[in-house]
Amino acid sequence: MTGFHCVARTSPTYAAPRRRPHVWLLPALLALSAPAWAADPSDGEEDENVLLMGAGVAVSSKYSGSDENRVTPALGIDYSMANGFFASTLRGVGWGSSVGGFNYSAALSYRAERVDRDDDEKFLGGSTSNGGDELRGMGRVEGSALALVSAGWTPNRWFGVSVTLEEPLSRRENGRAYHVGFTSTVYAGERNDITLGLTGHGGDRDYLQTYYGVTAAQSRASGFRAYAPKAGLYAISTGVDWTYRINDHWGLYTSVGAERLSGDAAESPIVRRKTAPSAFVMATYRF
């Protein structure tokens, strides 16, 4: 979505109680990735504008299907208004609200590009771009503007479900993606919250072809065999998130998870690893 990287999975939107000033950031942090997911832009119980800044480090695959990991900086600024409007490096620009346990949002965001070579930018010895030399000949997958539409239901802290549509507004040939996520907050204290998440990721034929397929021209240039995947479920991701509230302003967010490619995506000739780990830690400050 943006140049800032986060854990590659999604979380249902969640309207956090006002007494927990950092919990609402969890789904926003998980919103960053390629593919990218939506997050709850509005805490239904907030009555003030909130500015939150964060900095940290993320570990993930160089690209979906890579057998190499990368370490990247994670930085973010998130401004959320009491009327539901938000502007964020994490979530894009949009509006959302909630009614009881139901919540919904719509936003404009960005899906990051994928390149076919290692870049010259290094962070802790690793590339900061999506892609790598292993994809030489596959060409560049251009980034695209996105419309993100999300709806969720969280009747209690033990269960939450959300659905998200990821619709490209530019480079529409890159395809659309769909995401269904489930979460359960297994521990909720005054300073700590621990949440489990499970998400299914799907895409249309164009999406699967863009990120896991190999055209005849790409085959000749790269040496990979030609491959045309069908639409459907392409990955399942899971993880554990821990939020620690140091005080009313400072917080710490940590996430550890994994993603498993499935279906036609898992059989792609560019895929070197079907299961990839991920980790993320960010310190946050709320104004």
Side-chain angles (χ1 to χ4, degrees):
M1 284 172 57
T2 71
F4 305 119
H5 182 79
C6 269
V7 180
R9 60 190 172 80
T10 190
S11 168
T13 55
Y14 177 62
R18 190 179 174 197
R19 71 181 180 84
R20 296 176 180 166
H22 296 285
V23 176
W24 65 270
L25 180 62
L26 269 65
L29 294 174
L30 297 176
L32 279 187
S33 184
W37 331 125
D40 180 23
S42 176
D43 182 334
E45 300 180 30
E46 286 285 359
D47 58 2
E48 60 185 11
N49 300 340
V50 175
L51 173 63
L52 189 141
M53 302 179 68
V57 176
V59 179
S60 67
S61 294
K62 292 172 60 178
Y63 59 90
S64 183
S66 173
D67 60 355
E68 296 184 34
N69 295 325
R70 62 176 182 165
V71 180
T72 55
L75 305 172
I77 299 175
D78 189 282
Y79 181 63
S80 182
M81 299 183 67
N83 63 10
F85 173 82
F86 60 90
S88 172
T89 58
L90 301 175
R91 300 179 285 156
V93 178
W95 180 88
S97 187
S98 62
V99 179
F102 293 92
N103 48 71
Y104 47 90
S105 65
L108 296 177
S109 191
Y110 183 74
R111 181 190 291 167
E113 67 177 3
R114 189 189 73 185
V115 298
D116 64 350
R117 65 194 63 199
D118 289 325
D119 62 18
D120 294 328
E121 293 185 51
K122 300 293 181 180
F123 179 74
L124 297 181
S127 171
T128 60
S129 66
N130 293 318
D133 288 341
E134 310 94 301
L135 296 175
R136 282 195 180 275
M138 290 294 294
R140 179 188 298 269
V141 177
E142 299 288 347
S144 56
L146 291 178
L148 298 175
V149 180
S150 181
W153 180 50
T154 308
N156 53 61
R157 73 177 178 88
W158 297 103
F159 176 79
V161 59
S162 72
V163 293
T164 299
L165 167 64
E166 182 182 324
E167 178 72 34
L169 301 178
S170 64
R171 298 290 177 180
R172 298 180 64 85
E173 67 275 11
N174 289 352
R176 62 172 61 93
Y178 316 90
H179 313 280
V180 180
F182 302 89
T183 58
S184 177
T185 301
V186 297
Y187 178 81
E190 287 300 320
R191 291 186 176 273
N192 296 277
D193 289 289
I194 299 176
T195 302
L196 305 180
L198 177 68
T199 304
H201 312 288
D204 63 14
R205 183 184 293 269
D206 287 341
Y207 184 92
L208 271 289
Q209 182 64 46
T210 297
Y211 296 100
Y212 302 100
V214 182
T215 66
Q218 289 174 324
S219 178
R220 291 191 296 270
S222 67
F224 292 117
R225 63 181 173 86
Y227 186 66
K230 298 178 181 179
L233 183 73
Y234 68 82
I236 297 175
S237 58
T238 186
V240 180
D241 308 319
W242 171 43
T243 301
Y244 175 61
R245 290 170 295 281
I246 300 172
N247 54 43
D248 286 344
H249 296 284
W250 286 101
L252 185 67
Y253 170 75
T254 303
S255 180
V256 178
E259 181 178 86
R260 174 74 177 181
L261 293 178
S262 62
D264 284 4
E267 302 305 318
S268 170
I270 73 168
V271 170
R272 297 187 172 193
R273 178 176 60 178
K274 295 181 181 180
T275 302
S278 60
F280 180 85
V281 61
M282 174 179 273
T284 63
Y285 186 84
R286 172 172 168 152
F287 292 88

